[in-house]
Amino acid sequence: MRKRNLLLIAILIILFAGGLFTHAIYMDAKDWRDRGQRYYCIYEVGVGGLSGRGVEGTTVVMVPIPATKEGKFFTPPAQKDPYFTQEMMHEINNWPEQHLKGPYFENATEVFDNKTINGNWTTFIAETDKGYMLGFRTNETRLEDISYDADFIVDYFDIFDPINNGSPILFPAENFSETSVVPYGDYIKYASNPTYDSYVYVSDNLGEGPVSFYIHLQANNDPNEWSREYRGLYMNEIITNVNATGNLKVRAVLGQVIPHGNYTLWYGRYGPEYYTNETP
């Protein structure tokens, strides 16, 4: 009887330890999961027609920045302390220091501000009369084109009605087109691709000559929180050439891909009704 009790106790201890270890593995897989398995945004900026230009003084180019239509920056998820089971496993396995705390997610300032990129351009967040914008500044006398990309995690956004539900778009944003919606399961989605006006800025020292802009923001919802038919993304895009300096109005288009792989509307977005060069 005594041996049987000891064996039962040993089995319970093994099961308890195994349960703790299994819980730690599960929570690690959830807490340290890949960016693509979260509410995840990709932001790209390309400014062409600059390479080889000779200029004097400081050159500044500004573009729309990811924010809500009211100009509010995204909110990264809160950092969580590891569970007791995770702490035990990390200590036992001698994991690197960054795994001894919960994953850290950057805020907008950390993502966009004061980065040095090709051509000795330095990024900055500018507060203009149009609202916040992302700026690129250089004192070089011979310019290079701008190529910049960033990605960031958000706490939550809505891919079904991103314009009206506080999701990141290309800000400044104004003069939204009339947008109709259609039912989609338990939700709604846009019946067509909405458009809106935004702005770019080109400093006066660039003078004459076309400058091209490609600005793209893609936002993917968390596949762990949504069933397959509701997993998807939306994209904001500006593709334009400008031939002036100062604040220049440009047209942005927003398209949805719901569910993943359904690019029907997005592939048909190009046309003069989407991309027009307008100046204030």
Side-chain angles (χ1 to χ4, degrees):
M1 181 64 70
R2 178 180 174 82
K3 289 182 179 180
R4 181 178 296 177
N5 290 339
L6 290 175
L7 179 60
L8 180 60
I9 292 172
I11 292 173
L12 290 174
I13 291 174
I14 292 172
L15 290 174
F16 178 74
L20 291 178
F21 190 72
T22 301
H23 181 263
I25 293 175
Y26 169 76
M27 293 309 301
D28 273 349
K30 181 178 179 181
D31 292 343
W32 276 272
R33 67 187 185 274
D34 183 76
R35 286 173 171 252
Q37 298 297 308
R38 301 177 183 273
Y39 288 99
Y40 177 52
C41 292
I42 302 169
Y43 174 64
E44 299 175 279
V45 175
V47 184
L50 302 177
S51 288
R53 287 200 193 192
V55 295
E56 295 181 356
T58 300
T59 304
V60 174
V61 174
M62 292 190 289
V63 298
I65 195 168
T68 68
K69 70 175 183 179
E70 294 81 18
K72 182 180 179 181
F73 291 134
F74 60 87
T75 303
Q79 186 178 17
K80 298 180 180 179
D81 291 330
Y83 286 84
F84 172 70
T85 53
Q86 291 174 295
E87 291 181 338
M88 287 181 56
M89 189 179 73
H90 296 176
E91 289 290 348
I92 292 171
N93 292 329
N94 193 29
W95 278 32
E97 183 177 352
Q98 64 265 30
H99 288 280
L100 300 181
K101 296 181 179 180
Y104 180 76
F105 304 104
E106 296 175 309
N107 62 33
T109 300
E110 293 169 308
V111 171
F112 300 121
D113 195 35
N114 198 32
K115 303 291 191 296
T116 300
I117 61 171
N118 61 298
N120 203 27
W121 294 95
T122 300
T123 66
F124 61 98
I125 297 175
E127 189 170 2
T128 75
D129 59 354
K130 300 298 181 183
Y132 287 106
M133 299 180 73
L134 178 65
F136 301 87
R137 178 191 293 115
T138 186
N139 289 319
E140 294 292 322
T141 56
R142 184 70 60 179
L143 300 180
E144 292 186 26
D145 289 346
I146 295 171
S147 179
Y148 173 80
D149 62 84
D151 52 65
F152 54 92
I153 305 297
V154 301
D155 191 50
Y156 176 81
F157 56 73
D158 178 7
I159 69 169
F160 301 98
D161 187 6
I163 293 173
N164 297 309
N165 288 335
S167 300
I169 59 174
L170 293 174
F171 182 85
E174 59 187 30
N175 299 326
F176 288 87
S177 63
E178 292 187 10
T179 303
S180 59
V181 297
V182 294
Y184 181 76
D186 297 329
Y187 298 86
I188 53 95
K189 65 179 181 179
Y190 299 142
S192 60
N193 291 331
T195 63
Y196 57 94
D197 291 336
S198 190
Y199 290 87
V200 297
Y201 172 85
V202 178
S203 59
D204 292 340
N205 68 327
L206 275 171
E208 297 181 354
V211 178
S212 64
F213 286 87
Y214 170 75
I215 307 158
H216 182 90
L217 174 64
Q218 176 175 317
N220 307 263
N221 69 354
D222 187 336
N224 298 284
E225 293 190 11
W226 297 90
S227 57
R228 184 176 299 276
E229 67 269 27
Y230 297 123
R231 295 173 191 166
L233 56 95
Y234 66 91
M235 294 182 280
N236 299 259
E237 193 168 78
I238 294 170
I239 303 176
T240 192
N241 296 318
V242 301
N243 288 281
T245 59
N247 286 319
L248 306 171
K249 186 185 295 184
V250 294
R251 184 65 53 82
V253 58
L254 186 153
Q256 295 166 306
V257 180
I258 306 172
H260 272 300
N262 182 18
Y263 284 86
T264 305
L265 281 177
W266 185 247
Y267 285 152
R269 72 197 182 282
Y270 289 104
E273 69 273 26
Y274 289 147
Y275 298 109
T276 58
N277 298 333
E278 303 176 36
T279 55

